[in-house]
Amino acid sequence: MSDAITVSDAVPAEVPAKVDPLLQLPQSGPKRVMLKSAILSLALLLQSISVTAAVVSSLKQDFPNASAMELQCFVTVPVLGNIIATLIGGRFATKIGKKNLCIIGTLLCFIGGFLPMFVPVLDGQTALRVLAGFGLGLIQPLSASLIVDCFKGEEADILMGFQSSAVGLGATIISSCIAGIISFDWHYFYYVYFFALVVMVIVLFFIPNAVNDLGREEAVSAENSVPKQRKKMPISAYFGMLLQIIFATGYGFYTINLSLAAEETGTITAVQAATVITIISVSSLIGGLFFGLVKSFVGMWVGVIAISMQGIALLIWGNTTSLVAWNVAGVLLGVGFCWFMPYVNILVNEHTDPSISAEATSYAFFGNSVGSFIPPYAFAALSVITGITSPWKSMNMGAAFMVVCIVLILVFMASEKKKSAVVVA
């Protein structure tokens, strides 16, 4: 029996070098345009839960014995699924694959949004809609983190602004469809969730499978068989979450009290207040298109500018009774909002890589979701402390939260500048 050692026994097989997933993405031409469009399409679904508030009054036709809270829960309870998913979804993105998670999220959005049509019990419908909220929570951070993963520099900044505009565009499309369906028969509004299937198909065909490998966690490095070290989560991710909690709380004073504040003025009607809200949506949609240009001039100061605009808007609403002034405030709030959201997404990803970008972005969206729940309770608590129970004057409370955000951003910027100076020295 021969003791000769074959070449294959003596020399370990060479491990093929792994191709950078970014290099497998289209670098130019129509395919790159479609990649951008597919990523932006995710943002079109992000308001698909909240805009269904328009059917709450219609639900009472089928469930006359339901309490006001039970009817409101049709819209609010699904947000719980969103909160849970934004907290855990980012961590799973690198395990499951980011494209795969987008497909799962859009599919859950469809299932949780459409199937309640066949459930005869209101509580059952509400519970099933939590699936839609969970699906949205999975794709929410990816709608922003995929931009910083796949694009860099000015191209990423411009797309961040477009992402913010796409949120408003999606809300406009879905709410318009719901309004049209309600005029015919509100029972069929559930069909708007087929829009989620359309987005799923767009993702399936126009986001390359290589996106699944962006930041994917490997048990062993192909180069040296050493366990791969996961990048540490930067402090900016946690700061972004805190900032979003405070910001969303202050912003929420507008969402819960604007209509009530309008009637309280005695000169601005609820219908006129609804027009102001439309102005906000349109301003947000248009303003997002200019985010990249503005950031190229002012850098990360865009965050301070955005929050200042919203704080001014809240002060105008809380201290004037002029419809013209309220419309101006609507423009300021809309543009400020669509600049602040991409600012936060960029902030939390300043020091990330694809292995943690989705998780870092999910922290920001989690903070926003939590903050969106707080306003009614914050208003009640502050009313006890200050004695101010007026929805109109509560806008000043919202402005105070914006001031806190500005102070925090300035402190954070000073801290980051100091760290940079130390590193350079």
Side-chain angles (χ1 to χ4, degrees):
M1 185 176 186
S2 173
D3 293 327
I5 301 177
T6 64
V7 174
S8 60
D9 292 328
V11 182
E14 183 179 349
V15 179
K18 191 172 182 179
V19 179
D20 186 345
L22 285 176
L23 298 179
Q24 299 180 55
L25 302 181
Q27 301 302 308
S28 61
K31 288 187 177 180
R32 190 166 179 85
V33 173
M34 291 309 302
L35 170 61
K36 294 176 181 179
S37 301
I39 293 174
L40 291 174
S41 72
L42 295 169
L44 297 174
L45 297 175
L46 299 188
Q47 296 294 320
S48 60
I49 292 292
S50 60
V51 296
T52 57
V55 304
V56 169
S57 59
S58 300
L59 282 170
K60 197 164 183 64
Q61 298 175 21
D62 285 2
F63 306 102
N65 296 323
S67 66
M69 179 173 291
E70 286 176 315
L71 294 172
Q72 292 167 352
C73 283
F74 184 81
V75 177
T76 59
V77 168
V79 180
L80 294 176
N82 184 279
I83 291 176
I84 295 171
T86 53
L87 186 61
I88 67 174
R91 186 66 181 85
F92 284 105
T94 52
K95 296 179 180 294
I96 298 174
K98 296 185 179 184
K99 176 181 177 178
N100 292 338
L101 202 61
C102 289
I103 293 172
I104 293 171
T106 50
L107 182 60
L108 287 175
C109 179
F110 167 72
I111 293 172
F114 180 66
L115 292 190
M117 180 178 182
F118 306 100
V119 178
V121 181
L122 179 59
D123 289 344
Q125 289 191 16
T126 300
L128 192 56
R129 278 169 57 82
V130 173
L131 280 179
F134 189 85
L136 289 179
L138 293 179
I139 67 174
Q140 197 170 36
L142 290 169
S143 69
S145 67
L146 281 177
I147 292 175
V148 299
D149 287 344
C150 300
F151 310 97
K152 304 300 175 187
E154 184 178 353
E155 187 176 26
D157 291 342
I158 291 173
L159 285 175
M160 275 296 188
F162 284 8
Q163 190 264 0
S164 186
S165 291
V167 175
L169 177 61
T172 302
I173 292 173
I174 296 174
S175 61
S176 298
C177 289
I178 290 176
I181 292 172
I182 288 178
S183 66
F184 171 67
D185 186 340
W186 74 269
H187 293 91
Y188 295 103
F189 92 92
Y190 302 94
Y191 280 94
V192 299
Y193 284 96
F194 273 92
F195 192 36
L197 288 185
V198 173
V199 173
M200 185 184 75
V201 172
I202 291 172
V203 169
L204 185 63
F205 284 100
F206 297 109
I207 293 184
N209 291 331
V211 168
N212 279 324
D213 293 326
L214 290 174
R216 187 187 286 276
E217 295 179 7
E218 302 288 347
V220 177
S221 168
E223 294 182 359
N224 52 24
S225 299
V226 175
K228 186 177 180 180
Q229 294 297 316
R230 190 167 182 270
K231 188 176 178 67
K232 183 180 179 181
M233 188 65 64
I235 189 67
S236 59
Y238 302 108
F239 174 72
M241 180 173 66
L242 172 64
L243 189 65
Q244 279 278 38
I245 291 173
I246 299 171
F247 164 78
T249 301
Y251 186 87
F253 279 78
Y254 139 69
T255 58
I256 66 172
N257 283 336
L258 185 69
S259 294
L260 296 173
E263 299 222 358
E264 186 181 340
T265 65
T267 59
I268 299 174
T269 66
V271 173
Q272 290 171 329
T275 302
V276 173
I277 294 174
T278 301
I279 289 173
I280 293 170
S281 300
V282 173
S283 299
S284 181
L285 175 61
I286 297 174
L289 303 177
F290 298 95
F291 172 79
L293 177 64
V294 174
K295 184 178 178 293
S296 68
F297 284 103
V298 301
M300 292 303 279
W301 282 94
V302 68
V304 174
I305 295 171
I307 295 184
S308 297
M309 293 171 69
Q310 293 172 92
I312 292 171
L314 289 164
L315 287 173
I316 291 174
W317 283 329
N319 297 281
T320 68
T321 58
S322 164
L323 181 60
V324 172
W326 275 45
N327 288 335
V328 170
V331 173
L332 289 173
L333 190 89
V335 175
F337 179 80
C338 75
W339 287 356
F340 175 74
M341 295 305 289
Y343 156 77
V344 174
N345 291 332
I346 292 172
L347 172 70
V348 300
N349 282 291
E350 274 191 307
H351 306 292
T352 65
D353 64 17
S355 68
I356 60 171
S357 60
E359 185 176 358
T361 310
S362 71
Y363 287 174
F365 281 110
F366 172 76
N368 186 272
S369 297
V370 171
S372 297
F373 263 109
I374 296 177
Y377 310 104
F379 179 42
L382 289 172
S383 295
V384 172
I385 296 171
T386 64
I388 299 174
T389 58
S390 162
W392 180 23
K393 294 303 177 182
S394 76
M395 299 298 169
N396 296 313
M397 298 178 185
F401 280 89
M402 298 301 171
V403 172
V404 173
C405 288
I406 292 173
V407 172
L408 288 176
I409 291 175
L410 293 176
V411 171
F412 183 78
M413 290 176 70
S415 174
E416 290 292 290
K417 185 176 180 180
K418 185 177 179 180
K419 286 181 183 177
S420 298
V422 171
V423 171
V424 172

